[in-house]
Amino acid sequence: MLEIIKKTRNQNTSEPRRPGGKRYILKLFVSGILQNSVRAIKNINQICEEHLKGNYDLEIIDIYQQPELAIREQIIVIPVMIIKYPLPERRLIGDLSEVEKVLEILNSK
Amino acid sequence: MITDIKNMNDLLKENKTLIHEKEVLAAKLQEALGIIEAIRKGKIDEVLDANKTNNSLISKTADETYRRFIENMSEGVITLHTDGMIVYSNSSFAKMVKTPLKKVIGTNVRHFIPIESIKYFELIFNEHPENNAPIELSIVNSKGTRSHFMVSPSWLQLQDFLALNLVWTDVTVQKESEEKLITVNQSLNRAIEELVFSENKVVILNNKLKENIKILEDANIELATFAHIASHDLQEPLRKIITFSSLLKAHYNHIIDEKGKKYINNMQRASERMRDLINDILEYSQLSQKEFLYTPTSLHKIVNEIISNLEIVIKETNAKIIIEKELPVIEANASQMRQLFQNLLSNSLKFIKADTIPEIHITYEIVKGNEIEKIDESLWDEEFYLFYIRDNGIGFNQEYIDKIFTIFQRLHNNTVYIGTGIGLAICKKIAEKHNGFITAEGILNEGSLFTVTLPVKQSTIGKHKQKEKALFEQIAGEDYTY
């Protein structure tokens, strides 16, 4: 049973935090299963698992389901990923397919 | 000078602010350029109307109706990417897995499926896209609780990939009641099996009981017949022994010396005792066989007759027999009642103390069945006579109570107290034949008390017995085969 619970742990919170690593808090705003939204979901998951494993907290928000979150963040276009942490806050627009660029922004101070 | 420095500071501050504003503007410009580039490259799905006064943030697109519809469904709806990642989930599904919606999207659906269900889930994935047959799947939520669902799959070709839509209908309640039903059914089956088993046992026991009863009845008849025949056949040679010993004594008295005469006397005494024994056995065996009718019988008359019959013994022993109140007329067999009281009185007259004038008190009372120990509950409302025969004789030790009513059981040897050891056994049998019983209490060297309990009305007791018998026969005769 324990094994199952462990296995069903949400992938977004990933594994136990790696000590010493940079911490990332990411929010991705999508719109249903529109092409770029789905791509963004796929891409950010892949990037996180490959490069930030154990050091990120990812939330994916469908603006149709939680529009209040989108209003609070003054979202203009979809999909958009907000890097909440580390500061300063930055936004990445599009399907996040340019992995190098995404990583560069994630790693810049 | 001071103002200059102040101005300098202000200018520096202003400069910093300007630099910061420039950075912010640059960032915004970057963002705006990013947006433009993204739009140009077609990487934007929607542009939002950020007019906060308008509560609906989203431009009214054609699929909004469907989105709302799906969002409001009580069924869980998810869309999976080709590898199983959830790219869309409605709120119902998030509730089903007890996980915040924003953590559901982006997670692989396999993380919510328990190990034992995974292979069924993979079946959907490997199925031909045309197959939309719903299957049963379990989900483990974040609290570790399992729920059961009917899952309807449908495949959808999107621009980039083949998406799998899954609609989850909670069947936990049905599933649980189904399982409960199965459990109840199983225990019912077990109960039935046990019932059948114990009924078979009852049948077997019943048959055994019937067999035993038959054996017992046969043995009883055999025994009675044997006793009857034996006593009859024994009487003949015994008579001869008595006759010839009398002849021996009469005709050869003059040539037999004193020792020889003593031998003959011993022989005669032994023969007479033998005769008594045979007669008693005969009587006892006849009691077992005889069926008889109950007629109104005056016990007072019978007991008085017995007393006059026993006159010689009474005179010899100086005994006083006191009938405390006039005895009733009861439903009984007169000759058996005579035998019963004769045996009891003889018994009391026999076991007397040498230095005491024997006194025998006879009395009775009528009581309800519920006042009598060891009587069946069905007879609690019936009335019973309790006849008491109390003496001041040698009594007996209460520990021998079981022995005194048993045939041939004697507490004393024949040299002091003569007797066959059958008398009280006959009394017991007679009482039982009259649907009653006999009990005795004794204190050594103080005396004995015999209590004969007989029903006032034989007819109602008879009915009870008949009912019991009928019930027994009904039970014994029932067919238990399935």
Side-chain angles (χ1 to χ4, degrees), chain B residues 383-397:
Chain B
E383 284 183 321
F384 289 86
Y385 288 115
L386 298 184
F387 294 100
Y388 301 106
I389 296 95
R390 184 162 44 84
D391 65 51
N392 59 350
I394 58 164
F396 60 91
N397 196 325

Side-chain angles (χ1 to χ4, degrees), chain B residues 7-241:
Chain B
N7 276 341
M8 270 279 273
N9 277 341
D10 284 350
L11 278 172
L12 272 173
K13 228 186 240 171
E14 205 175 311
N15 196 22
K16 254 186 195 167
T17 317
L18 282 170
I19 289 170
H20 178 71
E21 274 176 11
K22 190 193 152 205
E23 276 173 0
V24 172
L25 280 171
K28 279 198 173 171
L29 183 65
Q30 199 63 44
E31 206 181 309
L33 285 171
I35 291 173
I36 291 163
E37 196 197 345
I39 291 171
R40 192 179 292 142
K41 284 185 181 166
K43 303 225 161 148
I44 296 296
D45 288 332
E46 289 195 55
V47 179
L48 304 181
D49 175 11
N51 184 2
K52 277 175 221 167
T53 53
N54 182 358
N55 230 0
S56 74
L57 163 85
I58 299 116
S59 52
K60 299 247 186 282
T61 53
D63 59 51
E64 199 204 342
T65 325
Y66 300 106
R67 288 201 190 202
R68 277 181 193 269
F69 176 65
I70 290 166
E71 193 55 34
N72 292 331
M73 272 167 75
S74 60
E75 280 87 359
V77 179
I78 54 175
T79 303
L80 303 183
H81 203 279
T82 324
D83 61 357
M85 181 190 283
I86 298 169
V87 292
Y88 171 79
S89 159
N90 70 353
S91 308
S92 297
F93 185 81
K95 273 181 207 144
M96 285 167 179
V97 293
K98 288 196 163 53
T99 306
L101 201 51
K102 55 194 179 185
K103 294 287 186 190
V104 175
I105 299 170
T107 298
N108 195 302
V109 71
R110 290 182 181 85
H111 291 265
F112 298 115
I113 297 170
I115 290 167
E116 74 268 15
S117 280
I118 279 285
K119 61 177 174 192
Y120 302 111
F121 172 75
E122 300 301 345
L123 276 179
I124 305 183
F125 250 73
N126 301 330
E127 274 295 334
H128 196 265
E130 265 91 67
N131 192 341
N132 292 339
I135 65 153
E136 226 177 283
L137 272 185
S138 298
I139 276 185
V140 172
N141 64 31
S142 61
K143 306 275 191 295
T145 314
R146 231 163 269 231
S147 319
H148 304 280
F149 293 87
M150 249 355 246
V151 183
S152 309
S154 59
W155 292 90
L156 181 69
Q157 183 64 56
L158 296 179
Q159 295 98 315
D160 290 0
F161 64 98
L162 192 61
L164 176 61
N165 287 316
L166 296 178
V167 179
W168 302 70
T169 310
D170 196 333
V171 291
T172 307
V173 179
Q174 288 99 302
K175 184 96 182 168
E176 273 170 6
S177 44
E178 199 178 285
E179 274 165 11
K180 221 180 254 172
L181 204 67
I182 289 169
T183 318
V184 168
N185 249 334
Q186 278 170 346
S187 46
L188 198 68
N189 279 341
R190 255 202 310 278
I192 289 171
E193 270 168 33
E194 275 166 26
L195 198 70
V196 169
F197 183 71
S198 47
E199 265 172 7
N200 286 340
K201 239 181 179 173
V202 168
V203 170
I204 292 167
L205 285 177
N206 240 332
N207 288 340
K208 257 190 195 159
L209 195 66
K210 277 193 211 163
E211 269 170 39
N212 284 343
I213 290 171
K214 185 83 180 70
I215 290 168
L216 212 61
E217 277 173 353
D218 289 350
N220 257 335
I221 291 168
E222 210 173 303
L223 201 67
T225 319
F226 170 76
H228 191 78
I229 291 166
S231 12
H232 264 294
D233 291 357
L234 288 172
Q235 270 176 334
E236 184 50 32
L238 187 63
R239 228 186 336 261
K240 279 201 174 125
I241 294 170

Side-chain angles (χ1 to χ4, degrees), chain B residues 13 32 42 111 132 171 175-176 222 251 254-255 274 297 307 313 323 333 355 364 387 459 477:
Chain B
K13 228 186 240 171
H111 291 265
N132 292 339
V171 291
K175 184 96 182 168
E176 273 170 6
E222 210 173 303
H251 294 278
H254 55 288
I255 55 164
M274 179 94 169
T297 305
I307 292 169
V313 193
I323 302 172
N333 177 284
D355 53 348
Y364 80 97
F387 294 100
S459 48

